[in-house]
Amino acid sequence: MIKLNQPVLMELQADMAWIPLVQAVVEQGAPVLGLDRSKTLRLTMAVEEIVSHLARTALGTKIGFSLKPYGWHVLAEFSFRADPSHLWAMNLAAKPNLSDPNDLDHLGLLLASRMVDGFTLHLEGEVVHLALRQDCSYPVVTKIAADPIRSKGKLTIVPAPESAFIQAACVRAVNLYPARKNHTAFSMPGKVADMVAQKDMDMALVLDETSALAGMICWQALSEKGIGFFGPYVFCREEQAAALLTEHLIQRVARTKAMGLFSELATPELTTKEFESLGHFSYVQSDGQASREEVWYRHLGEDMGASVWAHPAMVSFLSAAYGRLVLMRDIRETCGFGEALPRRSVFSTQLRPELGEATLMPMVTGADAKDCVARHVDTLCRENFSNIFFKLDLAFGWQAALGGVLMENGFKPRLLLPHGGRSDLVVFQYEPA
Amino acid sequence: MAADPIWWCSSMSLLDFNRLVPAHIQSFEVYVPSKPDTEFMRLYGVDHLYRLNNNENALGPPPEVFDILQAFPPRAVPVYPNGDCFDLRNVLAEKFNKDPEQFLVGNGSCEVIASVIKAFCQEGDNIITADKTFAVYEWVAQFSGFEAKLVPLKDHAFDLDAMILAMDDRTKILFVCNPNNPTGTYWNTTTMTDFLDRVDNRALVVIDEAYCEYVEAPDFPDGLALMERYPNVIVFRTFSKMYALASLRIGYLCGALDVVNMVRRTHVVYSVNTLAQRSAAAALSNDGSFIRDTRKMVGDAKALVCPLLEELGLDFLCNQGNYLMVHLPFSDTLMYRKLMTKGIMVRTMTGFRFPNWIRVSLVQMPVMEEFCVAFQQIIQEMRPQRG
Ligand SMILES: Cc1ncc(COP(=O)(O)O)c(C=O)c1O
C-alpha cells in the first residue's frame, strides 16, 4: 500500500462546532496515511469523543491536533490545557457513576480509549499531551510446526536485513518458538518489517553460506537509555548462531547513548555469561501452569551513579537490588505529605490477552490512587489476566510515591531495570497473599 | 514512539531548535566525561580513587615542570598567552631539527585532529582509520559531516592492505595510531614505509604517535624522520601521556611546511595557555631520566600484572604503551563497578568495540599491587557463579 509520509496539523478551539471538521480530517486523512476503513472509523470516533469531551469540560481551550504517520501506525495527537483529572475516564477500569451527570460527561473518553490500539498521556507543566495510536492492519500468520535447519558452511551476520528476510525471520520464529517467547508483532511479519523501516525496531540475522536463515535477534528502545531485546531466535542446529547474534547486538548498541540492555524476552539460547541476572517474574500460563521468566541485563557503559526517588516501603528492595548490581544510587525517599493532587488518577494499560498479561504505568497520580489501583486489579482479574505488572519510573517522585499504594494493594517489587525509563524502573507484580 | 510535536502551542512559544541542527549533529552521540573524583568517592563509599582509565603518567610531571608551576607569577595570569606558541615551537624545532613553522601546537592533540580534518575535508570526502583505535578521529569526522571509513583491525593491529583497499578518490586523510591505543600494536618501519609507498601521496597520512615515547623497539618508525621522504605525512604528538601534562591540555602536530601552512588557517590561535607552553618546553628538557624512570615503572607494572593474568587463564594484550587490555569472562562494565567499590577505576571497552575487555593504565607499584589483589578477588568471586 502506498502511504503518504506527511503529517496533518491543525489548531482549533474546544467547541462542538469544530467536531465535523476534525472528523473529516481523520476520515479523509487516516486512509492516506495507511489505515484501512474500519481502523479509520474507530479512530474518527475516538477523536470525535476527545474533542467533544474537551468542548464540554474545557470550552474554548486551544487544542493542537495532528495526525501523523509512523509506518506501522498513525498517531492522533492532542495538546491542550485542561485539568488532567478529567481524563480519568481513559482508565481501563474507569467506572463512571451513572447517576452523576458530571461523570456521564466522561463516558466518551472511555469509549475513545477502547476504540484505539493504545494511548499515551503526559503532562508538561499545565499542558496535557494525549496521543491515540491506531495500528495499520496486517495479515496474521499462524504457527505451523517446523524443524530447525541444518546450516551449511560459515554463518554470517546481516546487520540490516531487507524486508523479505525480516518477514521470513518472523515466520520462522512463530513456527519454532512458543508464543510466550515471541514479540507480539511477529505474527504480523509485515508490521515488523514496517517497524524496522520506521526504526521502531532493529533486527539482525544470521545466514549460512547458502543464504538460509539461521537466526535472528531484534531490539527496541524502551527509553532514552534503555534497550530491550528479544531472542536470540535460532533457526538452525548450530550453537554458534546465538553467540554471534548476541555479540553483534552488544556491539551495535554499545556506541549508542543507551546505558542498559535488557532481555524483554530471552530465549534459552542466550549466552548469559556476559549478562547479569536481574531476577525473574513468575508467570501463570494459559493452562494454569506456573513458569519463570528470567530477565538478563548488560550494562553498556561506565556507571556514573545517580539519584532516584523511592517510597519508604520500597527502600529495602531497592537497596538490596542496587547492592547486588553494584550500582551506586542516592535513594531519596518520598511518600506524599498531603500536597494538592489532581482528583483522579490515569494509568495506562498494555494488554497481551493471549498471555493473560497486563502492564500498568501511571500517567497521572491523583488523590484516588489507592482506589484506582484496586479497581484496575479487580477489573483485570475478572477478565482473567493472571499476570499483572505495574512499572514505576524512579526519575519521578510522583511515580515513586505510588510504591506504597501498590504494596498495600498486593503488589510486590520484583525487578529493578537500571535505566529502563528516564531513570531506573521498578517492576511490581501483583501477588495477592 | 510518541514524538513530541508541541511546537504549534504558540502560547508556549517553544523554539523548534532541532530545525536548526544538521542531521549529522542530531544523530551524533554526546561523549560524557566522567564525574569528579570526589563525587565518585562519595557514591562508591571509598576514601581513595586510583584512575587507571586514562593512560596518564602517574609519575609525572618531570621535576623541571614542578619548577615552572611553582614559580609561575600570578601577574602573568591577566596576560594572553603567546598566540602561536612561538617559544615552544622553537624548542621543538631545535630538538627535532626542523623549521619552527612546521609545528602547530594545540589544546591537546585532540584539537589538532579537528584542525587537520577542517583544513582538508569538504562535503562528500572521507577519512580512513581503524574500527578499534582512538575514537576521536572518527568522532570529529562524523560530527563535521564527513564519512569515517573504519577498517577492522587484523590480529589486533591496523590492517595495511584493507586500508589501502578502502581508499577512494574522496579519501583525504588516513589516520594511523602508532602504537595503537588500545591494543598497543605498532607498524614497524618496513610496514609503515610500505604503506606510505602504496598511499603514494594520494591522501594525507596522520601518524598519531601519542605513546611513542613508551616504545623501545628498535624497528619502531620515527614519523618525524619519515616526513622528510613523504611530504604527505603529518605526525601528532602529545604532552598528555609520557610528559604527564594532561591537565594542561597541550599537544602538537608536525608536517611539511606547505601542509602545516594549510592547517594553520583552520586552527584557533591562543588556544594554548602560558602555563602549558612553558611546562611543555620544560618537560622536553628532561627526556633522559624522566622517560627512563617512567619506562621502568611501566615495565615493572607489566612484570607484575601479566603473570597474574596468565595464572588466571585470561586472554590479554600487553604490547607497547603504558596500558594493557584484559578479556574478561564476564561483563567489563560489571568489573568496572566492582573495582570502583575498591577505589580503582579502569576503562570499559564495550563502547570501543571490545565487549568484555577492560583497559588498564600501568602506574606505580603500590597501586598496581592493589589493582592485582582487587582484580584477582573479583575474578575468583565471579567464577563459582559462572561455572
Ligand atoms: C592515541 C591518542 N591520540 C591522542 C590522544 C589525545 O591526547 P591529548 O590529551 O593531547 O588531546 C590520546 C589520548 O588519550 C590518545 O590515546
Side-chain angles (χ1 to χ4, degrees), chain A residues 11 64 129 273 276 299 325, chain B residues 6 8 333 337 348 356 386:
Chain A
E11 195 176 90
H129 297 276
K273 87 176 167 41
E276 296 163 56
H299 203 81
L325 291 164
Chain B
I6 48 174
W8 63 69
T333 58
R337 282 172 275 145
T348 60
N356 303 333
R386 309 248 159 191

Side-chain angles (χ1 to χ4, degrees), chain B residues 116 137 173-177 204-208 232 234-236:
Chain B
V116 171
Y137 325 126
I173 314 168
L174 299 110
F175 286 89
V176 180
C177 187
L204 289 163
V205 174
V206 167
I207 309 179
D208 184 349
N232 59 331
I234 303 180
V235 170
F236 287 180

Side-chain angles (χ1 to χ4, degrees), chain B residues 12-26:
Chain B
M12 294 182 61
S13 72
L14 281 181
L15 168 67
D16 177 29
F17 71 90
N18 280 348
R19 184 171 53 80
L20 306 175
V21 183
H24 62 269
I25 298 292
Q26 293 198 19

Side-chain angles (χ1 to χ4, degrees), chain A residues 20-62:
Chain A
L21 175 69
V22 183
Q23 275 177 320
V25 166
V26 181
E27 222 171 301
Q28 308 291 323
V32 179
L33 305 181
L35 293 189
D36 66 15
R37 236 189 86 71
S38 92
K39 291 272 191 174
T40 297
L41 203 65
R42 292 168 71 87
L43 184 62
T44 309
M45 290 201 288
V47 165
E48 173 194 338
E49 291 298 346
I50 304 280
V51 178
S52 115
H53 174 265
L54 287 173
R56 277 197 305 269
T57 59
L59 182 68
T61 194
K62 194 190 283 180

Side-chain angles (χ1 to χ4, degrees), chain A residues 9-11 62-66 68 70 72-73 75 77-81 119-120 122 124 127 129 131 133 200 247 250-251 253-258 272-277 296-307 324-330, chain B residues 1-12 14 26 28-30 32-35 39-40 42-45 53 131-133 135 138-139 150 327-334 336-338 340-341 345-356 386:
Chain A
L9 308 171
M10 63 191 283
E11 195 176 90
K62 194 190 283 180
I63 307 174
F65 175 73
S66 71
K68 290 190 175 175
Y70 288 87
W72 55 279
H73 67 275
L75 279 188
E77 296 173 293
F78 296 88
S79 66
F80 49 83
R81 284 165 199 262
F119 71 91
T120 61
H122 76 270
E124 221 170 60
V127 179
H129 297 276
R133 193 192 85 227
D200 285 327
E247 194 177 307
I250 292 175
Q251 299 246 11
V253 298
R255 287 210 166 192
T256 64
K257 51 177 161 253
T272 55
K273 87 176 167 41
E274 50 198 277
F275 288 84
E276 296 163 56
S277 172
W296 296 96
Y297 178 63
R298 176 67 161 77
H299 203 81
L300 296 170
E302 293 166 6
D303 193 66
M304 301 272 183
S307 301
R324 230 178 10 256
L325 291 164
V326 207
L327 280 173
M328 297 305 137
R329 296 290 185 267
D330 289 325
Chain B
M1 174 194 71
D4 232 353
I6 48 174
W7 52 268
W8 63 69
C9 303
S10 46
S11 54
M12 294 182 61
L14 281 181
Q26 293 198 19
F28 192 80
E29 301 301 345
V30 182
V32 186
S34 71
K35 287 187 174 164
E39 184 55 18
F40 273 129
R42 186 187 68 74
L43 274 169
Y44 282 89
N53 64 330
D131 61 340
K132 294 168 181 175
T133 184
E138 170 189 342
W139 289 344
L150 305 179
H327 192 185
L328 304 170
F330 53 90
S331 152
D332 51 337
T333 58
L334 177 60
Y336 168 89
R337 282 172 275 145
K338 289 191 173 249
M340 283 293 275
T341 64
M345 184 185 238
V346 295
R347 167 97 327 138
T348 60
M349 298 305 285
T350 290
F352 295 84
R353 306 195 173 96
F354 276 104
N356 303 333
R386 309 248 159 191

